[in-house]
Amino acid sequence: MLESNLKAVNDDVKKLIKDAQALFLAAADLTGEKAEEMRNRGMRLLDKAVVTAQEAQASARVAGREMTDSAESYVKENPWRALATAAGVGFLAALVLTKR
């Protein structure tokens, strides 16, 4: 869920940046009020992209903290199970790495 949300936000930010770049390129050929209006629209699009990226970053941080807290609670409640799981993962990683 989080990964799909971050991908969607990433796609939105890329689209906003591309739109802003297109506006700036179009404004380069214009002069006067039209050019100023195009540059202002481009700046608003870039500002929106920055805000969207910052919101996604904040969301990812919150989700990361929640996952960390959840894992920490699980380990505190089930220390032996967590230790056995970690040892099993380490053993499997060692098997995979030594076969190469």
Side-chain angles (χ1 to χ4, degrees), residues 18-99:
K18 283 181 183 177
D19 290 348
Q21 288 172 335
L23 282 172
F24 284 132
L25 288 174
D29 296 335
L30 300 175
T31 59
E33 269 184 46
K34 285 268 187 197
E36 188 64 29
E37 180 183 331
M38 299 276 285
R39 281 190 288 274
N40 287 338
R41 282 182 59 197
M43 289 305 293
R44 284 194 301 272
L45 282 173
L46 287 176
D47 289 342
K48 186 175 179 182
V50 168
V51 167
T52 303
Q54 289 172 340
E55 288 172 353
Q57 181 183 19
S59 175
R61 281 186 181 161
V62 168
R65 281 191 202 118
E66 289 173 357
M67 285 188 277
T68 301
D69 292 344
S70 175
E72 196 172 303
S73 295
Y74 179 82
V75 169
K76 285 182 181 179
E77 292 170 8
N78 305 296
W80 291 108
R81 186 178 290 171
L83 182 64
T85 302
V89 169
F91 179 74
L92 290 176
L95 282 176
V96 170
L97 292 175
T98 57
K99 291 196 178 210

